[in-house]
Amino acid sequence: MAGSVTAVSRSATHTFSKAPLESVRLLPGLGVEGDAHSGATVKHRSRVARDPSQPNLRQVHLVHAELHDELRDAGFAVRAGDMGENVTTRGVDLLGLPTGTRLHLGESAVVEVTGLRNPCGQLNGLQDGLMKAVLDRDEDGNLVRKAGIMGVVVTGGEVRPGDPIRVELPAGPHHPLQPV
């Protein structure tokens, strides 16, 4: 399974959306250099309030461009970075990856997948109804979260739009992604 990076984004402050850039630098064990969510311990405000010493399993947020396509088809005006993602991908089934998958981005960066992004009500602040649009139900009635995945930086490096993505699955047994 191979794909590509279509956009990279970051925000130095705790804004919901992140500005698209020509490149971002991933720092091992920290996340996106200059991003408000970078750090070894949690940076998301709600998690800091609960326990600021928790490890940061949400250093990098990835969203598949196919979700943007789906949302645009449903009438939403969504661009890369709007939902807070750092890396927008195409051609990789992010939601179908098992926990522990390593995504090789560009020449050297490696992100290990930790889990699903649990969408929050801030999505409706971007556009009314957006949160409902990124949630679905499978054939058994189970909740499906489509708002991307989270990961930690294993190996640092520059990441740019157009960079290839190589997927390295972990040794089995594989465990489906859960919200982190």
Side-chain angles (χ1 to χ4, degrees):
M1 179 184 331
S4 64
V5 174
T6 63
V8 293
S9 307
R10 78 166 178 247
S11 176
T13 61
H14 285 276
T15 57
F16 185 71
S17 296
K18 298 180 186 277
L21 301 168
E22 291 183 19
S23 70
V24 293
R25 176 170 293 284
L26 301 185
L27 303 173
L30 298 174
V32 178
E33 183 178 53
D35 192 84
H37 296 109
S38 180
T41 57
V42 292
K43 300 301 175 199
H44 288 77
R45 290 176 175 169
S46 62
R47 293 168 190 269
V48 169
R50 277 185 266 152
D51 179 1
S53 68
Q54 294 176 74
N56 187 2
L57 301 178
R58 301 164 55 101
Q59 295 173 2
V60 180
H61 176 201
L62 300 97
V63 166
H64 47 297
E66 293 85 353
L67 176 61
H68 292 162
D69 298 342
E70 177 185 328
L71 292 170
R72 280 193 293 275
D73 290 347
F76 293 94
V78 179
R79 298 172 312 208
D82 279 354
M83 295 193 302
E85 72 271 19
N86 300 110
V87 178
T88 310
T89 69
R90 185 168 294 280
V92 176
D93 178 13
L94 295 180
L95 304 180
L97 298 173
T99 302
T101 297
R102 290 190 171 196
L103 300 173
H104 297 257
L105 308 172
E107 291 183 21
S108 61
V110 180
V111 173
E112 185 170 310
V113 177
T114 56
L116 294 169
R117 177 189 184 192
N118 199 15
C120 70
Q122 288 183 353
L123 285 166
N124 288 335
L126 182 62
Q127 291 177 54
D128 193 41
L130 189 56
M131 182 163 163
K132 184 176 180 181
V134 299
L135 295 171
D136 206 352
R137 297 275 176 188
D138 66 15
E139 58 278 351
D140 296 324
N142 299 311
L143 186 63
V144 175
R145 294 165 178 88
K146 302 187 289 184
I149 64 171
M150 307 304 286
V152 295
V153 180
V154 176
T155 305
E158 289 287 324
V159 180
R160 296 173 178 80
D163 278 350
I165 300 172
R166 184 173 60 84
V167 176
E168 178 188 350
L169 295 174
H174 293 163
H175 302 284
L177 297 177
Q178 298 298 316
V180 292

